[in-house]
Amino acid sequence: MSAPGPAPVALATWPTPAEPAPRLAEAVGLAPADLVLKRDDLSGLGGGGNKVRKLEHLVARAVADGATTLVTTGAPQSNHARLTAAAAARLGLEAVLVLPGAPGPVRGNLLLDELLGARIAWAGDVDAAGLDAAAAAAADDVRARGGVPVVLPFGGSDAVGARGYVTAGEELREQVPDLAHVVVALGSGGTMAGLVAALGADRVLGVDTGATPDGRARVARLVDELVGDGHVLPGDGGAPPAASLRIRDDQVGDGYATVTPGARSALGLAARTAGVVLDPIYTARALAGLVAAVADGDVRPGQRTVFLHSGGLPGLFAHDLDAVR
């Protein structure tokens, strides 16, 4: 078992609400009392979202290491990058966000990145390895200027960041003790891994968003590391094999950055039956995955189901709104 590390930095007020959603439940084919929304979009810092839980642990480690600057990577509309900038602003640190591509319209998360005082380093047309190399170069530049950089992982998803979702799973066990399913968007893997470590693989349904080509392997590796760190699974305490993870890959569509027909439908469904706004890349895909899971019997009426709203609203305003209506 590895050392637990420093105590998390307080960046939000927990627990987030667990709200009933009877009209949305009926709209997706469940009974009115079946569906609960776990509102991690209401985590507060920098517009809220699931990355705040991860950053409480990641930033604590960075501060313990003497960081003056947080460096991280992500897509141009990265929620993790936005919230890294917000955490840095809260704590008086600098933030460098290393993003693929070149400067373009400043809207959605990019607008908030600038408002929060982050420096954006555009990496050009690079793959994942190239983006990591650009982050390393940005860290070298910080050192050359006399600073102390700490590079945070893509999506905040390593075993340290995933501890935040072990805590979220523990919250859910108290808020919804009879839960049968937790439905969550699968991006960089840390959110799902923490929930699996807290609740077990049989109760967590991940809906792949296409953010990485190896989502299943990422989740399995992170769960294994969490178990090694002492975050013991219910039951025998062993990490589940990758094949046992419940992951749907039927909502990726034409790729991560696209708004799929299912996501468009889910956006309207949540807004018009629960007054809740999703984002088109993560949470809308996750809700579309829940609709599909009910249709094929993987999630059934009478089973208490939690939908994890992981935030991401600013990204909605970076899309052509005609594409999401």
Side-chain angles (χ1 to χ4, degrees), residues 70-299:
L70 304 179
V71 180
T72 199
T73 62
Q77 287 296 322
S78 168
N79 297 306
H80 167 65
R82 163 179 47 95
L83 287 167
T84 297
R90 173 76 63 89
L91 298 173
L93 305 174
E94 301 294 323
V96 179
L97 312 179
V98 182
L99 311 178
V106 179
R107 56 186 183 179
N109 277 311
L110 284 171
L111 176 61
L112 294 180
D113 294 340
E114 292 198 1
L115 185 65
L116 291 162
R119 179 166 69 85
I120 298 175
W122 293 101
D125 185 12
V126 293
D127 59 11
L131 196 60
D132 288 343
D140 287 341
D141 181 64
V142 172
R143 290 187 194 95
R145 296 168 184 264
V148 180
V150 168
V151 179
L152 304 185
F154 172 77
S157 290
D158 63 7
V160 173
R163 291 172 188 168
Y165 269 88
V166 176
T167 302
E170 292 165 351
E171 287 178 14
L172 282 170
R173 294 176 79 174
E174 292 188 4
Q175 292 174 316
V176 193
D178 58 344
L179 70 89
H181 309 280
V182 180
V183 180
V184 59
L186 169 55
S188 55
T191 299
M192 181 176 178
L195 291 171
V196 169
L199 300 170
D202 59 327
R203 292 201 280 184
V204 183
L205 174 60
V207 180
D208 196 349
T209 64
T212 69
D214 59 346
R216 181 178 295 273
R218 279 175 173 265
V219 174
R221 173 178 55 79
L222 288 169
V223 174
D224 187 60
E225 291 175 7
L226 285 167
V227 172
D229 284 349
H231 297 285
V232 179
L233 289 152
D236 64 9
S244 73
L245 295 169
R246 296 175 63 202
I247 296 174
R248 299 189 71 100
D249 60 5
D250 57 348
Q251 302 301 320
V252 175
D254 291 333
Y256 168 75
T258 64
V259 181
T260 66
R264 283 198 299 272
S265 176
L267 283 167
L269 195 66
R272 293 164 189 162
T273 63
V276 170
V277 181
L278 306 178
D279 85 286
I281 302 302
Y282 290 98
T283 49
R285 274 191 171 97
L287 183 59
L290 173 57
V291 171
V294 174
D296 65 23
D298 189 31
V299 175

